[in-house]
Amino acid sequence: MRIENSFIPVEGVGETTERRLWERGVHTWEEFDPAVDVAGVGSTTADRIESFIAEARTRLDDGDAAYFDRRFPSGERWRLYEDFREGTCFFDIETTGLDEHRDRVTTVSFHQDGETTTLVAGDDLTAARLRERFREADLLATFNGARFDVPFLETSFGIEVDTPHLDLMYPCKRIGLSGGLKPIERQLGIDRDRPDLSGRDAVRLWHEYERGDDGALETLVSYNREDTENLRTLADTVCESLHRDVFAPVVGGSD
């Protein structure tokens, strides 16, 4: 499902009215006609829809993901993914613990446009590098990043992460997938090269590296990188599932 299929950002258009539009054959912005009789779409709402479409077309042409991030309800942010897939940066952090005020970030991995980069504490993990990575992305994607990864980085490095953010934990819950990232991966059949490692192992590996074991850092980085690469597979799977649940049944499988 794409942004262009959506009318829910418009004031006065909720899920029910949007569905009625789709049922009347208004599947995209191009197909909207204020003369079409749709329950819940009076002249005022029709004017708002036309105004939204006029601005949204320009914003989409400009690649302005932040505009749509502001306009869409938080629970519908997954709809941005298809349009901004190539500009999405999947990222994940490893830390020495769960307290952002006491513990440290050890590695941060980013996966975007088929390439994965890892920043390491004491080497190239700096506030400037983090700002650069986030500035280059149209959309961020994490798992539980809204509650953990983002605030941890903001506190640890004194930065503000304001790039539009899709936290995949919430759309996962919407389609009945609960628990942590790795149990969800197993449910979906997403494989890992190191399925026996956990967040606790990540802490242990960092401390082993600090004691001089370079191999421990290699394992930690590999584990962290795999988290981010699997996030892309998860986003593809979850957003396609939501497309089938929300849009496809109404429009008969149309894009």
Side-chain angles (χ1 to χ4, degrees):
M1 184 173 179
R2 304 180 70 86
I3 290 172
E4 303 96 310
N5 305 124
S6 302
F7 299 89
I8 203 168
V10 179
E11 182 183 354
V13 178
E15 293 179 14
T16 300
T17 301
E18 182 180 59
R19 186 181 182 91
R20 288 171 181 159
L21 285 163
W22 294 338
E23 289 170 343
R24 291 286 289 165
V26 185
H27 303 157
T28 67
W29 298 341
E30 289 289 338
E31 294 169 317
F32 179 72
D33 181 348
V36 174
D37 183 19
V38 178
V41 182
S43 60
T44 299
T45 300
D47 288 345
R48 289 173 180 160
I49 292 174
E50 288 193 299
S51 295
F52 166 71
I53 292 172
E55 181 171 11
R57 281 179 178 147
T58 301
R59 298 281 191 160
L60 193 56
D61 288 344
D62 291 343
D64 189 352
Y67 169 77
F68 296 102
D69 183 63
R70 294 191 300 269
R71 293 298 300 257
F72 274 77
S74 60
E76 301 298 328
R77 196 167 286 143
W78 63 275
R79 302 192 195 189
L80 277 64
Y81 178 64
E82 187 63 32
D83 287 275
F84 293 100
R85 182 195 300 261
E86 297 310 313
T88 297
C89 178
F90 304 87
F91 84 95
D92 181 75
I93 73 174
E94 300 300 336
T95 67
T96 58
L98 301 178
D99 188 338
E100 64 200 68
H101 299 285
R102 183 184 63 202
D103 297 309
R104 294 175 291 146
V105 181
T106 57
T107 63
V108 184
S109 286
F110 305 89
H111 180 70
Q112 184 173 349
D113 198 22
E115 297 185 359
T116 307
T117 302
T118 302
L119 305 179
V120 179
D123 183 10
D124 53 3
L125 177 52
T126 65
R129 288 290 183 90
L130 290 170
R131 289 192 188 98
E132 179 183 5
R133 295 300 308 192
F134 293 136
R135 186 170 56 248
E136 291 174 351
D138 294 322
L139 180 68
L140 304 178
T142 66
F143 188 91
N144 195 31
R147 296 193 305 182
F148 184 71
D149 302 69
V150 169
F152 216 114
L153 290 178
E154 289 182 329
T155 298
S156 299
F157 293 92
I159 63 174
E160 181 180 359
V161 181
D162 55 6
T163 307
H165 181 192
L166 172 62
D167 188 333
L168 292 165
M169 183 173 71
Y170 300 102
C172 278
K173 287 182 177 180
R174 185 166 169 177
I175 62 172
L177 296 170
S178 59
L181 176 59
K182 293 168 190 64
I184 288 175
E185 288 176 351
R186 288 193 291 271
Q187 290 180 65
L188 296 175
I190 300 174
D191 295 327
R192 279 183 170 261
D193 292 334
R194 301 176 183 276
D196 54 331
L197 292 180
S198 66
R200 186 171 297 177
D201 291 309
V203 177
R204 172 182 58 79
L205 288 165
W206 179 257
H207 290 316
E208 290 176 2
Y209 164 65
E210 287 186 311
R211 292 194 292 270
D213 184 352
D214 289 338
L217 178 61
E218 292 178 8
T219 302
L220 174 61
V221 168
S222 174
Y223 168 77
N224 188 205
R225 290 167 71 89
E226 194 166 30
D227 275 348
T228 64
E229 290 162 9
N230 281 4
L231 283 174
R232 174 155 192 158
T233 304
L234 179 62
D236 289 345
T237 302
V238 170
C239 290
E240 176 59 29
S241 179
L242 283 166
H243 168 83
R244 292 195 302 267
D245 290 347
V246 173
F247 190 59
V250 185
V251 302
S254 297
D255 293 333

